[in-house]
Amino acid sequence: MVKLGDYEQSDWAVGRTYLSYDADRGKGVYRHPLGLVQVDTIAASPIRATCLRLIHEGREYSRRWEAIWGERTIARLCREFIEEVTAPPGSE
């Protein structure tokens, strides 16, 4: 846990990927060699959601789940999301 001013920020890294996420504010960025994914979580009653956004080749992609996930799960979802979006056509 890294203390920065009036809030705490936790960082979770795997290999060359990196999630910088502030759970108190519900915002973060996932850094990957293929790009960046913006992470937003919404915990306003009755809404609980996790949203991911990525811009790739001038187009915005987004994913949304009606749940709030932990940091490891968010990092996995970001990695899968960016790999899916940046995969060459027909490589499924």
Side-chain angles (χ1 to χ4, degrees), residues 14-86:
V14 175
R16 297 182 336 179
T17 62
Y18 191 77
L19 174 66
S20 178
Y21 180 71
D22 177 10
D24 293 336
R25 296 183 185 195
K27 298 198 176 293
V29 174
Y30 178 81
R31 293 171 184 87
H32 188 279
L34 297 173
L36 300 173
V37 177
Q38 178 182 340
V39 179
D40 293 305
T41 54
I42 303 165
S45 183
I47 301 168
R48 295 178 57 81
T50 300
C51 306
L52 304 180
R53 279 193 285 282
L54 165 71
I55 296 176
H56 178 66
E57 295 182 353
R59 179 173 275 161
E60 182 178 26
Y61 298 87
S62 63
R63 297 287 185 273
R64 180 184 170 119
W65 293 268
E66 300 298 321
I68 295 179
W69 307 105
E71 291 177 36
R72 288 181 183 233
T73 303
I74 289 174
R76 180 182 54 80
L77 292 171
C78 288
R79 179 182 47 79
E80 291 173 357
F81 176 41
I82 199 167
E83 289 173 355
E84 173 188 328
V85 169
T86 59

